[in-house]
Amino acid sequence: FRFFEGQLDLKAPEVKEIFLEAREKYRQFMDQPPLWRILSQISIGKKDKAPRSFDELYTMAIDDLHPLELAVKEMVQGRQIPASKDPYKLARLLRGWHGKAEAFLKNNPFSFGDYKDIPGAKSLKKILEPVRDNLDEFRAYIVAKRALELADRKIETGIYRSDAEAIVNMYEGKFREVHRELLEYQDLTLKYLVDAGLLSPEAYAKMKIWNRDYVPFYRVMENTKGQGTGIGLEGRQPVKKIRGSWRDIVDPLESVIKNTFLYINLAEKNAVGRALVDLERSGDGLGKFVEKIPTPMQKTTVTPEEISRYMENLSENLGFGAKELPAEAFEALEIFRPSAFVPKDNVIQVWENGKRSLYQVDPEIGRVFKALDRENVNFLVKLLSIPAQWLRAGATLTPEFIGRNPIRDQWSAFCYSKYGFVPGFDLVRGIFSMVKKDQ
């Protein structure tokens, strides 16, 4: 048995983790009273068309997170837990995640979990204040610094090295300090991911070594939507490997703001899932709410060209070139990697120490997690908004308003327009332009 565990440590540590978890679940099952063990083996069927319960109606009309609240109450069994460990309260607070990102940008960066301001840290707004009149030059400087770093790693950037060196030499003395503070700010947003479990400390340390002058190099992609955060709790690993491109670079300062919103959103989403998993681990008999399941594996074919490029990148560290390897080393390989696909609607994914785990939950809780970051505009709010819509319609659709408003607008346009607006005449011209749909 020890030999088997040792082989798992070497070849499939994630499989060993599943075995150990199954062993612990089996122990918990056997420690239960006989009545509980027998009842757990009995499936009680439900009617297909059962009448809606009060809790279902409450979820529809008042609180779409109500199923999660009920599950938490049953799991804690009357115990008091802090808000930072309560999945329902964290899910409720998630609706205000935009304010956290704006506080990072405008007020002061803070640490994950306790939201305490980090001493000595500056917001992005304060950092850019000294260069607000020279933003174009500063953009060119930080892009040039990053381009030189990537050029040393043989990654295409679309920036000529001679141009980058000229810009760095020109503005090094002027922008060095602001650039340093910008790097510190981005480091704090990255640490937010580490503390939230989306990035491991080891990966963070490697990223810092290879990206000392980092600014985002998102590329302008025509006719495509921007990078989102995923639906509900379908968070993903936000840090991607850079591949190089000659496409235009999106404004790096705009991309820093985008990363701030993206990282904080994903971190706060993941906090809800981690709190639910931690709550399940805190007591026996809670596996009916949250159950860890194996991550599905996906077959990937690695081509000889990919193997060759990989070995060439390692040749400096290994001390021999890729050409010295036998021909068999460059044959196509089929390997199995964890799939990014989430198999069911009642399966949520939670990141811990940079590793993704899948958990099966009750379908009602699964639906809560899928819609976790949607605005809570429930049935009751929509119902109460109808009288206000009638009031606005009654005020604007009356003949008196329709006749008076265009005349008033004509004189307003005549007084404020800088283009020689002629009352009456330009109104008719505008109507004909709308009909013809001209410029």
Side-chain angles (χ1 to χ4, degrees):
F1 185 75
R2 290 180 180 175
F3 174 79
F4 177 67
E5 282 194 342
Q7 291 298 307
L8 287 179
D9 281 331
L10 293 174
K11 298 180 179 179
E14 69 281 355
V15 176
K16 179 182 177 182
E17 184 180 347
I18 295 170
F19 275 121
L20 294 177
E21 177 123 358
R23 181 197 299 173
E24 178 62 21
K25 295 293 184 184
Y26 177 74
R27 183 197 65 78
Q28 294 177 5
F29 175 77
M30 295 306 297
D31 288 344
Q32 293 181 108
L35 176 63
W36 289 13
R37 285 203 297 270
I38 293 175
L39 290 177
S40 68
Q41 298 297 108
I42 300 175
S43 175
I44 302 175
K46 296 181 180 180
K47 296 180 180 179
D48 294 336
K49 295 184 179 180
R52 292 190 181 275
S53 65
F54 171 78
D55 289 325
E56 290 177 313
L57 295 174
Y58 187 86
T59 301
M60 292 175 57
I62 305 297
D63 184 6
D64 58 344
L65 302 179
H66 186 57
L68 183 59
E69 181 184 22
L70 294 176
V72 171
K73 285 182 178 179
E74 190 171 347
M75 294 172 78
V76 300
Q77 297 178 352
R79 291 182 292 114
Q80 294 294 324
I81 59 175
S84 61
K85 299 185 181 300
D86 187 326
Y88 172 73
K89 291 180 180 178
L90 289 175
R92 175 62 58 207
L93 292 172
L94 179 61
R95 295 274 163 78
W97 71 270
H98 291 88
K100 296 175 184 176
E102 290 180 1
F104 234 85
L105 293 167
K106 297 178 181 179
N107 299 326
N108 202 87
F110 48 83
S111 55
F112 173 80
D114 58 11
Y115 307 118
K116 293 181 179 178
D117 288 347
I118 299 173
K122 290 184 178 182
S123 67
L124 183 63
K125 182 179 180 181
K126 291 179 182 178
I127 292 171
L128 296 180
E129 185 69 25
V131 296
R132 64 178 183 177
D133 296 329
N134 307 101
L135 284 179
D136 284 341
E137 292 87 348
F138 182 67
R139 288 187 183 99
Y141 171 76
I142 61 178
V143 166
K145 290 279 285 187
R146 177 61 169 164
L148 290 176
E149 181 177 56
L150 293 177
D152 292 337
R153 293 168 54 186
K154 296 180 173 55
I155 296 176
E156 294 286 358
T157 63
I159 306 294
Y160 291 110
R161 188 181 186 97
S162 58
D163 292 343
E165 290 174 344
I167 292 297
V168 170
N169 292 333
M170 186 182 304
Y171 293 110
E172 182 73 19
K174 185 177 182 179
F175 294 140
R176 182 191 297 113
E177 182 61 22
V178 179
H179 181 231
R180 182 189 65 79
E181 292 179 347
L182 179 64
L183 294 175
E184 289 180 354
Y185 173 86
Q186 295 181 95
D187 187 42
L188 293 176
T189 61
L190 205 58
K191 284 182 178 177
Y192 207 85
L193 290 180
V194 176
D195 295 338
L198 285 153
L199 195 64
S200 68
E202 296 78 15
Y204 166 78
K206 291 179 181 178
M207 290 173 61
K208 291 294 296 177
I209 293 173
W210 289 99
N211 301 277
R212 298 185 184 278
D213 291 319
Y214 173 79
V215 289
F217 267 22
Y218 293 125
R219 301 290 175 163
V220 177
M221 308 293 286
E222 296 180 0
N223 300 324
T224 60
K225 295 182 179 180
Q227 186 182 30
T229 62
I231 299 174
L233 260 192
E234 294 311 296
R236 49 181 170 70
Q237 177 53 261
V239 180
K240 305 293 184 183
K241 178 181 178 180
I242 188 167
R243 300 186 181 279
S245 173
W246 277 76
R247 289 180 178 270
D248 290 345
I249 301 169
V250 177
D251 177 5
L253 298 180
E254 176 187 332
S255 297
V256 170
I257 296 173
K258 170 185 173 180
N259 279 353
T260 302
F261 277 91
L262 176 66
Y263 292 177
I264 289 180
N265 176 265
L266 292 177
E268 297 300 328
K269 284 181 180 180
N270 195 59
V272 183
R274 287 184 65 181
L276 184 64
V277 171
D278 290 342
L279 199 57
E280 183 271 335
R281 292 170 179 167
S282 65
D284 294 342
L286 300 181
K288 66 177 182 178
F289 297 102
V290 185
E291 180 182 2
K292 189 173 184 179
I293 62 175
T295 302
M297 305 301 287
Q298 181 179 18
K299 184 174 73 172
T300 304
T301 301
V302 183
T303 65
E305 292 78 13
E306 291 174 320
I307 298 174
S308 177
R309 285 198 302 268
Y310 178 74
M311 294 306 301
E312 287 175 359
N313 291 335
L314 292 181
S315 60
E316 295 181 2
N317 297 327
L318 295 176
F320 59 83
K323 294 181 179 179
E324 300 174 32
L325 293 172
E328 293 80 8
F330 297 99
E331 295 179 356
L333 296 176
E334 289 185 350
I335 60 176
F336 289 85
R337 292 171 175 164
S339 172
F341 177 70
V342 178
K344 298 179 182 178
D345 289 339
N346 64 327
V347 173
I348 64 173
Q349 55 185 359
V350 178
W351 292 81
E352 297 176 279
N353 198 32
K355 295 182 179 179
R356 186 186 74 145
S357 299
L358 298 182
Y359 294 88
Q360 186 168 293
V361 297
D362 182 89
E364 289 294 327
I365 299 177
R367 280 192 282 272
V368 168
F369 273 69
K370 296 293 180 182
L372 196 55
D373 56 353
R374 294 178 187 169
E375 294 297 328
N376 185 21
V377 183
N378 53 48
F379 174 76
L380 184 60
V381 174
K382 293 178 181 178
L383 184 65
L384 293 176
S385 68
I386 293 176
Q389 295 174 4
W390 290 347
L391 178 63
R392 286 193 293 270
T396 58
L397 297 180
T398 60
E400 179 186 2
F401 180 86
I402 294 173
R404 181 182 65 237
N405 199 59
I407 298 174
R408 183 185 62 191
D409 289 347
Q410 292 301 296
W411 290 106
S412 298
F414 175 69
C415 293
Y416 293 110
S417 174
K418 296 184 291 184
Y419 306 104
F421 184 87
V422 180
F425 175 73
D426 282 325
L427 170 64
V428 176
R429 285 183 59 198
I431 292 173
F432 277 102
S433 291
M434 288 180 63
V435 173
K436 293 187 295 183
K437 297 181 179 181
D438 60 13
Q439 297 220 356

